[in-house]
Amino acid sequence: MRQRLHSNQPDEMSAPGRKKPPQDRCVLLAATELFVGKSRHDIEEQKIFLELARNLLPATTLQDRRRIASMLAAHPEIPDDLLEALASDEDELTAYPALRYSQRLSVDLLLRTVKSGRESLRRAIANRPSLRESVLSALCEHAGADSIRILLQRDDIRLAPVHHDKLSRRGDIVAALGMELAGQDALNPDGLMGQYLHLPAALKAKAIAAAEMASLVKQARTPGTAPVHRQGSAGLHLCDALVAEARAGDRPRFADLLCQGLSLPQPVCDLMLQRDQSDGLTIALKALGMPAAPTATVLIRLFGEQMPLADLRGLLRLHRTLSVGAAGVLAGQWMLQDQTTETTPSRHVPQYQEGSRRKEPARTVPGSAEVSPARRKSGS
């Protein structure tokens, strides 16, 4: 036994290749536990703790950083430098408590996190006890559906019309939270019409009603104008060309012609060629003044293999009951809505040009670069 105590054999923990106990890395955690044990500290104590944290936090293990952040987040005397460091930590679970609970974070840090941070951190900010106007606006512009839902469900926050406008212009938010936004009157008529392609089915009827009302108001403000909409020769040629492209199965070219006829952005026209957006395409064709028979031909050629007969009849009923004026109002809002958001650059062509319909594999639009078929398909 005595020989064993005085043995020259190295201790197991200090043997070559073995790690030493992580005593240094536990110092900050222990100091934090002592710091949060008191609600008030003098200036000297705060300085000592801050200096200790500055030196040891970068080498502190992930698990300990998370525990430290959780303990310090709501402490009233946490040094500001340490608070900002924890809130800016690359680990989400370390940054979350400070972003969620601390009242002394700078507005600049919150704005940076909202604009470029992860969605979990945006949720933390959306749950903060109080939100500055600038932070609330940034959330409405950049946050995902889960974060926006938190704002909508809070009783202590009332979104202003400017926030409603920002949300109404975001198709992803309208698609995910359309019913909740409508329930709080957060979707104004322009927002309903502009985001028609992203609305849940229950709200599309409201958007159409808003478009019909806007069309009637427009007619009332311009008395003496005939309500009958007549197509010119260019419009007739365009409708014939759209039918021809649909029969040929050339969907990219069809989308290009649709953009020309309605001056819509390319991504919007590409979206309307998806199966679940056939009602949007029906409205676009109505806005062009296309009669029912060629409209049915286009819908059958583009969606017939996947569309039940009952759905086709519903689209033709929509085409029959929707006024040309309301269809034009809706299409106009789609153009305006896209111009106010950051989307893929679009191409606007004011008039259909028949001579370039089939001969060129990639056409040049005035004021823009030549677009290849592959690039046209991607909407980029």
Side-chain angles (χ1 to χ4, degrees), residues 138-161:
L139 285 168
C140 291
E141 290 181 6
H142 302 282
D146 289 342
S147 299
I148 299 301
R149 183 178 285 109
I150 292 172
L151 298 179
L152 295 176
Q153 293 175 347
R154 288 183 61 165
D155 296 330
D156 59 330
I157 289 179
R158 182 174 295 276
L159 298 181

Side-chain angles (χ1 to χ4, degrees), residues 197 231 234-235 237-246 250-274 277-290 294-295 298-299 302-303 319 327-328 331-332 334-335 346-353 356-357 363 365 376:
L197 299 176
Q231 282 185 305
H237 285 310
L238 175 57
C239 288
D240 291 342
L242 286 168
V243 173
E245 298 297 349
D250 193 342
R251 298 169 78 92
R253 181 60 177 153
F254 182 96
D256 286 343
L257 293 178
L258 196 62
C259 289
Q260 290 185 24
L262 294 173
S263 295
L264 286 174
Q266 189 76 33
V268 175
C269 294
D270 292 339
L271 178 63
M272 283 190 287
L273 293 185
Q274 297 181 14
Q277 297 293 345
S278 55
D279 57 330
L281 178 60
T282 303
I283 294 172
L285 297 178
K286 183 75 174 191
L288 290 173
M290 182 178 288
T295 297
V298 169
L299 294 175
L302 294 178
F303 307 115
H319 184 276
W334 299 343
M335 177 181 65
S346 58
R347 305 193 300 276
H348 297 281
V349 182
Q351 188 175 2
Y352 162 63
Q353 299 173 356
S356 62
R357 186 164 65 88
R363 70 177 182 284
V365 177
R376 186 169 60 232

Side-chain angles (χ1 to χ4, degrees), residues 131-327:
L131 290 172
R132 295 281 188 91
E133 174 66 24
S134 58
V135 178
L136 189 57
S137 295
L139 285 168
C140 291
E141 290 181 6
H142 302 282
D146 289 342
S147 299
I148 299 301
R149 183 178 285 109
I150 292 172
L151 298 179
L152 295 176
Q153 293 175 347
R154 288 183 61 165
D155 296 330
D156 59 330
I157 289 179
R158 182 174 295 276
L159 298 181
V162 64
H163 304 133
H164 296 166
D165 186 63
K166 291 178 184 296
L167 295 174
S168 295
R169 298 179 186 279
R170 295 187 55 191
D172 58 329
I173 297 301
V174 173
L177 303 175
M179 295 302 295
E180 295 176 54
L181 292 170
Q184 297 192 17
D185 294 326
L187 284 177
N188 53 38
D190 288 346
L192 280 170
M193 293 184 290
Q195 295 295 347
Y196 178 90
L197 299 176
H198 305 285
L199 288 175
L203 290 180
K204 288 189 173 183
K206 290 186 176 181
I208 291 175
E212 293 286 5
M213 180 61 67
S215 177
L216 291 174
V217 171
K218 183 178 180 181
Q219 291 180 22
R221 289 177 177 174
T222 55
T225 57
V228 179
H229 298 268
R230 295 186 176 87
Q231 282 185 305
S233 60
L236 292 172
H237 285 310
L238 175 57
C239 288
D240 291 342
L242 286 168
V243 173
E245 298 297 349
R247 285 175 172 166
D250 193 342
R251 298 169 78 92
R253 181 60 177 153
F254 182 96
D256 286 343
L257 293 178
L258 196 62
C259 289
Q260 290 185 24
L262 294 173
S263 295
L264 286 174
Q266 189 76 33
V268 175
C269 294
D270 292 339
L271 178 63
M272 283 190 287
L273 293 185
Q274 297 181 14
R275 166 66 180 84
D276 59 350
Q277 297 293 345
S278 55
D279 57 330
L281 178 60
T282 303
I283 294 172
L285 297 178
K286 183 75 174 191
L288 290 173
M290 182 178 288
T295 297
T297 299
V298 169
L299 294 175
I300 291 172
R301 292 287 183 169
L302 294 178
F303 307 115
E305 295 181 358
Q306 307 162 336
M307 181 181 295
L309 181 59
D311 290 351
L312 177 60
R313 288 175 176 170
L315 294 176
L316 294 178
R317 189 182 307 113
L318 171 63
H319 184 276
R320 183 177 66 253
T321 57
L322 182 67
S323 69
V324 177

Side-chain angles (χ1 to χ4, degrees), residues 36-55:
V36 299
K38 295 173 57 179
S39 59
R40 299 189 63 83
H41 303 83
D42 58 35
I43 296 178
E44 187 64 24
E45 289 174 331
Q46 293 183 36
K47 287 183 177 180
I48 293 173
F49 180 69
L50 176 59
E51 188 64 26
L52 188 68
R54 281 175 175 170
N55 292 327

Side-chain angles (χ1 to χ4, degrees), residues 252 256 266 270 344-345 347 362 368-380:
D256 286 343
Q266 189 76 33
D270 292 339
T344 307
R347 305 193 300 276
S368 65
E370 187 178 39
V371 182
S372 66
R375 192 176 171 198
R376 186 169 60 232
K377 289 181 181 179
S378 64
S380 59

